[in-house]
Amino acid sequence: MTFVRIGGVPHHVVAEGSGPVCVLSAGLGMSWFDWDPVVPHLAPYRTVVRFDRPGHGLSAPAAAPPTAAGEADRIAAVLDALGHRGPAVVVGHSIAGFHAEAFARLHPDRTAGLVLVDSSVEEDPRPARTTAPARALGAVLAAAGLPAALGPAVRNLAVRAGTVRRGAPGPDLGPAPVRTDPALVRRVYRTSRVLRGTLLENARYGAVAAELLALREDRPLPPGLPVTVLAAPDGSARWERRQRALARRLGARYETAEPSGHLVMRDRPDTVARAVLDVRSRQEGAVDARGDVRSGQEGA
């Protein structure tokens, strides 16, 4: 288990595998182990870097509220701390899609490709004026002992809600799900630190989204950068329209993970891994970066 200090804050980092680097950043309130199902598909071919943002997983609490630029710089600092200074494929799930895209815009020379996994999308964000209510709520809930009493149960309910319902494992559902060690879940989610970190990041959601929209105007993506929007519509036509619009905005390849809930890395780790591994072939011109792919097949 590795910890690196960034901006004075200890960050939990896991690196494994060999080859070109990819960095995986999970969604709100999630931890490094949520990528466990994807790693076996990638580690034989890539150096896989996972990290916990402040207040998430095993990392220490945040020293300041998150920003899009700050999260982009955090990814760069994690890679620096591990000695990876060349281009990396950056994978962002949910809210971390904002961070991954910001990294590509602010650190273009260090970005080999961008994969947005059921990324958050905000066309008209409304930033909150203050994080004080979130901090106060976190303090009240922590004082009441709710994280220790209910944290792991709430986490497990959220995971079940975010994954597709399965019967017997079969080829139509992809690989059988990887079970997370209950001891790790308890270790992480019984802490008030994670509750407070999640509330703080959620309170800053609108501000980070607005900052990213401004970056889109001022900091274009590198020309020819392979970008994939990997969506999990799960029957929602509105969500699919928004994800397709994001792909058009970024000049990205659009792909769906089916069947899958929001936690695509748990439901379709093979599809996530394929999107990452495909970056090199797309750089070599083997795949049209403006293509449209559904469930791994050309044509939607």
Side-chain angles (χ1 to χ4, degrees), residues 165-174 176-177:
R165 293 183 179 180
R166 290 174 177 262
D172 57 326
L173 290 178

Side-chain angles (χ1 to χ4, degrees), residues 30-38 93 117 155-156 158-160 162-164 166 173-181 185 259-270 272:
M30 302 186 73
S31 301
W32 86 97
F33 51 66
D34 286 299
W35 293 104
D36 279 354
V38 178
H93 167 253
V117 181
R155 140 78 194 195
N156 291 334
V159 168
R160 282 197 287 273
T163 52
V164 71
R166 290 174 177 262
L173 290 178
V178 173
R179 184 171 180 267
T180 302
D181 183 352
V185 174
S260 178
H262 181 54
L263 303 185
V264 186
M265 69 279 273
R266 300 181 69 91
D267 282 337
R268 301 298 313 205
D270 54 334
V272 175

Side-chain angles (χ1 to χ4, degrees), residues 42-277:
L42 287 176
Y45 317 102
R46 298 289 184 270
T47 298
V48 183
V49 175
R50 296 178 280 169
F51 71 99
D52 292 322
R53 295 188 300 279
H56 288 62
L58 297 178
S59 292
T67 65
E71 295 309 314
D73 292 344
R74 190 184 316 282
I75 295 171
V78 166
L79 293 172
D80 285 346
L82 297 177
H84 301 307
R85 302 185 184 278
V89 175
V90 184
V91 184
H93 167 253
S94 195
I95 194 174
F98 291 162
H99 311 157
E101 184 185 338
F103 177 87
R105 294 182 183 280
L106 294 170
H107 300 274
D109 57 331
R110 302 191 65 174
T111 309
L114 182 60
V115 180
L116 304 180
V117 181
D118 217 37
S119 177
S120 296
V121 181
E122 289 298 329
E123 299 86 355
D124 185 24
R126 300 179 180 181
R129 293 182 180 180
T130 176
T131 61
R135 294 179 185 275
L137 177 60
V140 169
L141 294 177
L146 260 67
L150 299 176
V154 171
R155 140 78 194 195
N156 291 334
L157 285 173
V159 168
R160 282 197 287 273
T163 52
V164 71
R165 293 183 179 180
R166 290 174 177 262
D172 57 326
L173 290 178
V178 173
R179 184 171 180 267
T180 302
D181 183 352
L184 279 179
V185 174
R186 289 192 297 271
R187 179 179 179 185
V188 169
Y189 289 95
R190 283 176 57 87
T191 67
S192 64
R193 170 180 48 79
V194 172
L195 169 67
R196 293 169 188 257
T198 300
L199 289 172
L200 178 62
E201 199 168 84
N202 186 64
R204 288 286 298 169
Y205 175 87
V208 171
E211 187 182 349
L212 180 61
L213 291 186
L215 284 176
R216 287 178 181 170
E217 299 298 323
D218 298 333
R219 303 294 291 265
L221 291 173
L225 179 72
V227 181
T228 295
V229 170
L230 177 58
D234 196 24
S236 172
R238 181 173 181 270
W239 184 241
E240 182 160 17
R241 286 195 300 271
R242 296 178 73 192
Q243 291 287 307
R244 284 185 177 275
L246 175 64
R248 288 193 298 271
R249 177 71 182 264
L250 302 181
R253 175 186 181 182
Y254 179 82
E255 182 176 352
T256 57
E258 298 176 322
S260 178
H262 181 54
L263 303 185
V264 186
M265 69 279 273
R266 300 181 69 91
D267 282 337
R268 301 298 313 205
D270 54 334
T271 303
V272 175
R274 186 174 64 243
V276 176
L277 295 173

